[in-house]
Amino acid sequence: MALLSPVSSSCLPRLCSQLAAHDAVVDTKSRVCLSSASSHLQRGLIHKCYLDKRESHGFKVLASASVTADVSTAEVAVKSPIVKGDTWSIHKFGGTCVGTAQRIQNVANIVIEDSSERKLVVVSAMSKVTDMMYDLIEKAQSRDDSYEAALDAVFEKHKLTAVNLLDGDELASFLSVLTRDVHNLKAMLRAIYIAGHGTESFSAFVAGHGELWSAQILSAVLRKGGIDCTWMDTRDVLIVTPAGSNQVDPDYEESEQRLDNWLSQNPSKVVVATGFIASTPQNIPTTLKRDGSDFSAAIMGALFRARQVTIWTDVDGVYSADPRKVSEAVVLNTLSYQEAWEMSYFGANVLHPRTIIPVMQYDIPIIIRNIFNLSAPGTKICRAPIIEADVKQDSVAYVKGFATIDNLALVNVEGTGMAGVPGTASAIFAAVKDVGANVIMISQASSEHSVCFAVPEKEVNAVAKALEARFRQALSAGRLSQVAIIPNCSILAAVGQKMASTPGVSATLFNALAKANINIRAIAQGCSEYNITVVVKREDCVRALRAVHSRFYLSKTSIAVGIIGPGLIGATLLNQLRDQAAVLKEKSKTDLRVMGIIGSKKMLLSDTGIDLSNWKELQNEKGEKADLEKFVHHVHGNHFIPNTVLVDCTSSTDVADHYHDWLHTGIHIITPNKKANSGPLDKYLKLRARQRQSFTHYFYEATVGAGLPIMHTLRDLLQTGDKIIKIEGIFSGTLSYIFNSFVDTRAFSEVVMEAKAAGYTEPDPRDDLAGTDVARKVIILARECGLNLELSDIPVQSLVPDPLKETASVDDFMQQLPSYDSDIATKRQAAEDAREVLRYVGVVDVKNQKGVVELQRYKKQHPFAQLSGSDNIIAFTTERYNKQPLIVRGPGAGAEVTAGGVFSDLLRLASNLGAPSC
Ligand code: ADP
Ligand code: ASP
Ligand code: MG
């Protein structure tokens, strides 16, 4: 039997025309002034009409109801023919599941295919319809007459859906209901429009129509499919009482009686029931509040003592985190009732938080399933303690999932006068309760010096006012120092039943947040230990979520890498990452994920990580026009990894000029590019100051000596309190090769030619011979030692003969070089005669605050004389390494070792995340 909607067709137009005609005063039983008491008036009319309808359907049977809420299923079976119990299976279909005609047909097929003996199907309104209905009320209240057109759109949407699915009598009957309902709504909205105000009951009544229509359409479709099916207007059955702001409590006893009555009159085995809507004990239409259809299904599950409740939605189940925010979230196979409750309470809106309690008392499992992916088994929520075989058995297994709530403010009530004074907390929360605010978490330090709690942002001003009023005296007497509000906060909660009594879970959580450089403003953990809640700045929330999720579910440390300049060094680094990434992930739990590669013309971006085995092909196929700003935004902002590093493998000053701003936005930088550290001193100092103020790291090991641990060694010496006296070294692989090979009777030009042919020199060997590159390394080391020098302060002895400095082509230069051999040959011979060798060195003389790049002579037994090939050698003379300098020696040039130096910086970054940058 299909019931009409609660306000009958004969009654509502009367109501609306009364409202319209009596512009100020309307007669109900007593005369009520519309302007001052429209709410009473409206409520009275709805109530009256609603009862009329009940009576007209023979619903005056409440007194004869035989079953009460605490009667067991067996007793019910004896006393009445009404069948409840585990032959019933409850399904709930969310808005997206019934969003179009095709989807409604799909829902019908699922219901038909369920082999349960009895089925109750709870439906939401078609997607967006509830929003549309609330919007109608908003518009009417603000006297915006576009509500009429908006209502027509709602009408059209449902008409079109019905026309697509139904025909014959079913279609005609639904369209007549729809037409009448819309007609009534129009009258009611008109009344709201005139009054400029609609009560909560009016809103609830209007908003609930989405469910009324979707339930009627679905039941007609099922009947068309050959199923004997009835629809239930749950306002006839479900009775709820208001419980604080934005909540209602079911009256199980009354609802059970009404359900029995309903079932005795509608003995159908398949029932389609409206989600979301209910009635007050006074039979006034109300709702279970936004997203309340899950709650409807759970209450029905409890009233029916059903076998299970399946909640169909648009995702594969409950994920370890909101899949819209964390794309690597995983579906959880099982959750305990408690875990599901905590997840939903803390913002996992896949489930309404109140869904758990009704089913929990009867141990009825809830299954969350995806209507668009029937092959996914979904998430089962039940009581039994669950050992998940598929979850890793370390601390990771103890956290099931994470959820967040945005738009919160923290309130901090502080003062020395609070300690040890009984009743302070109670006074604080009484004041909060008086303004109807919802306290989401509370934290109090054991010193009792302050109480801090989170409330929805929109309620915080009222809360602050109430507290200031309540504690005015304490504040002026100084017993309380302040009631402070910290706006723009979010809550992040980690949930898991097994966190209880497991050491290390919070440490891991806090560590992950620290590594992502996220400041925690407040912490709470109840002694049930089912959740740990932290409050963070709203803008940090998604990053915080990703950081903790990746720490618990993926790797200890996840870093998004952006490679700038995939030339020789960049490409070699990519190969090294390709070969080593899996091992790092497995063994060191470090996930280095290349999210973007940008060259001078093209860039390749990925949301999940670039496949490094064929990035070149991908760049050719899918690469887009290079745009550095877009690139940085993508790598830093657009995915699930909490830490970002940009690796600048160019030698560009333009790129280096961005470092300061990148560091400022929390992007770590690693580079072999010498330009930033050897550029203008003021820029350098500004950059380093920015870096040192933060937890954002800047590593540049490969700027000096390629992969040799030079910068790292120097930093260690300085940080451990050693004093550097002098750094002296052969910093150029090319010049090292040239002077190591410049022996016996060989001509200098011949050796240069050989080095060029072997690919050891720059395309123009003058770039090496001029010594500028060495000077840049000297300045980098000098500045690291605290010397404020400019590049121009370093005297550089160029090995390019003066007349050849201006020679146009490289070939001309190479041809003319032999004519200058004699000069340098003389120097070599003089050294030889003194049993010495020539070496091209850079020197940082820390003591005398200067640097120099020059050709020097060293005794044949000096370590600098022992070099071979293109090796670099660096000697640190310090207070500790005084008699014997500390020497680092090895290959200091070439793509493999330079890329290796950059790679080691990446790993250094991974282990330094969360530590201050120095
Ligand atoms: P319905 O209309 O079916 O009730 P909802 O939109 O209310 O659907 O809930 C489903 C949505 O909840 C999903 O589309 C998903 O984006 C979101 N969601 C948030 N957190 C989670 C989570 N932890 N697991 C699954 N879904 C989540
Ligand atoms: N239709 C209602 C809403 O959108 C209830 C629900 O879908 O759960 O809030
Ligand atoms: Mg929902």
Side-chain angles (χ1 to χ4, degrees), residues 524-677:
Q525 178 186 359
C527 53
S528 72
E529 299 181 51
Y530 289 164
N531 87 65
I532 303 170
T533 309
V534 295
V535 179
V536 296
K537 271 196 272 170
R538 188 166 55 212
E539 71 242 39
D540 287 342
C541 186
V542 172
R543 224 157 45 78
L545 180 64
R546 289 169 183 166
V548 294
H549 187 272
S550 79
R551 172 61 186 88
F552 280 92
Y553 272 88
L554 305 169
S555 303
K556 263 191 203 155
T557 307
S558 303
I559 305 178
V561 183
I563 303 283
I564 305 173
L568 191 56
I569 293 170
T572 311
L573 175 66
L574 285 166
N575 289 343
Q576 292 178 356
L577 283 168
R578 176 199 61 204
D579 297 343
Q580 201 57 20
V583 180
L584 282 173
K585 209 167 160 186
E586 182 63 30
K587 298 232 164 97
S588 334
K589 299 271 178 282
T590 300
D591 183 4
L592 299 175
R593 199 84 67 91
V594 179
M595 310 301 287
I597 300 172
I598 183 168
S600 54
K601 294 198 178 71
K602 274 191 158 186
M603 66 181 180
L604 177 63
L605 306 178
S606 162
D607 286 329
T608 50
I610 295 171
D611 175 0
L612 296 184
S613 62
N614 67 340
W615 66 268
K616 275 193 182 143
E617 291 79 11
L618 287 172
Q619 195 177 32
N620 286 336
E621 281 165 31
K622 299 195 179 153
E624 50 190 284
K625 192 167 172 285
D627 175 342
L628 190 58
E629 200 178 324
K630 185 173 171 198
F631 174 84
V632 174
H633 186 258
H634 173 87
V635 178
H636 188 45
N638 203 11
H639 52 83
F640 47 91
I641 300 180
N643 309 292
T644 308
V645 61
L646 292 177
V647 182
D648 172 17
C649 295
T650 70
S651 55
S652 151
T653 308
D654 288 348
V655 176
D657 280 347
H658 286 93
Y659 293 177
H660 180 272
D661 292 348
W662 290 341
L663 286 172
H664 193 42
T665 50
I667 299 174
H668 307 282
I669 295 163
I670 289 175
T671 188
N673 179 358
K674 292 182 273 293
K675 293 293 158 50
N677 282 13

Side-chain angles (χ1 to χ4, degrees), residues 150-392:
L151 181 58
D152 290 344
V154 171
F155 173 77
E156 280 305 318
K157 183 179 173 92
H158 288 87
K159 181 178 158 193
L160 212 69
T161 309
V163 168
N164 267 315
L165 289 163
L166 305 173
D167 42 35
D169 286 353
E170 289 284 9
L171 178 62
S173 152
F174 175 76
L175 290 182
S176 103
V177 169
L178 179 69
T179 309
R180 194 203 51 226
D181 286 349
V182 168
H183 181 77
N184 288 342
L185 284 173
K186 214 164 247 179
M188 185 168 267
L189 289 163
R190 178 79 192 149
I192 296 175
Y193 178 90
I194 293 168
H197 174 70
T199 63
E200 220 182 301
S201 308
F202 258 53
S203 295
F205 175 75
V206 174
H209 275 74
E211 271 74 8
L212 290 168
W213 294 325
S214 59
Q216 290 175 80
I217 295 177
L218 178 62
S219 70
V221 174
L222 284 165
R223 281 192 296 276
K224 193 179 163 194
I227 303 289
D228 175 20
C229 166
T230 313
W231 83 280
M232 176 198 283
D233 176 346
T234 35
R235 293 175 301 185
D236 295 334
V237 171
L238 207 51
I239 301 303
V240 297
T241 49
S245 75
N246 220 24
Q247 281 207 47
V248 291
D249 282 338
D251 178 340
Y252 286 102
E253 206 167 318
E254 178 64 22
S255 301
E256 184 131 13
Q257 283 192 7
R258 293 192 184 207
L259 175 63
D260 288 345
N261 288 331
W262 193 94
L263 285 173
S264 67
Q265 303 212 2
N266 298 277
S268 171
K269 287 187 171 181
V270 181
V271 178
V272 178
T274 52
F276 183 51
I277 52 179
S279 293
T280 67
Q282 296 75 34
N283 295 314
I284 294 172
T286 187
T287 71
L288 304 188
K289 311 302 171 192
R290 290 313 305 262
D291 298 317
S293 296
D294 298 340
F295 190 22
S296 306
I299 300 168
M300 286 299 173
L303 292 175
F304 276 86
R305 316 288 195 270
R307 182 170 51 84
Q308 69 174 33
V309 175
T310 308
I311 295 195
W312 295 89
T313 183
D314 58 355
V315 282
D316 282 355
V318 180
Y319 280 78
S320 49
D322 186 339
R324 289 165 301 188
K325 293 178 179 158
V326 181
S327 56
E328 297 213 334
V330 294
V331 179
L332 303 167
N333 294 342
T334 46
L335 278 175
S336 70
Y337 287 125
Q338 190 68 35
E339 287 168 336
W341 184 83
E342 300 268 3
M343 285 285 281
S344 58
Y345 176 80
F346 285 108
N349 56 331
V350 64
L351 201 64
H352 187 282
R354 305 223 35 213
T355 315
I356 300 301
I357 307 296
V359 289
M360 197 167 123
Q361 56 184 325
Y362 299 108
D363 267 356
I364 300 166
I366 298 182
I367 322 286
I368 312 280
R369 293 199 57 191
N370 188 350
I371 189 123
F372 305 112
N373 181 13
L374 298 182
S375 62
T379 300
K380 182 172 183 178
I381 300 167
C382 55
R383 181 182 297 274
I386 296 133
I387 311 293
E388 284 211 4
D390 56 349
V391 174
K392 293 165 241 164

Side-chain angles (χ1 to χ4, degrees), residues 458-480:
K458 59 181 186 323
E459 290 168 359
V460 74
N461 286 336
V463 168
K465 267 199 199 131
L467 288 171
E468 271 154 19
R470 170 67 184 77
F471 292 106
R472 185 160 294 129
Q473 214 185 331
L475 282 162
S476 59
R479 277 179 284 121
L480 282 191

Side-chain angles (χ1 to χ4, degrees), residues 8 25 132 183 211 288 297 334 360 537 683 685 696 751 858:
S8 75
V25 181
M132 290 164 99
H183 181 77
E211 271 74 8
L288 304 188
T334 46
M360 197 167 123
K537 271 196 272 170
K683 265 195 191 173
L685 292 174
T696 313
V751 178
Y858 293 90

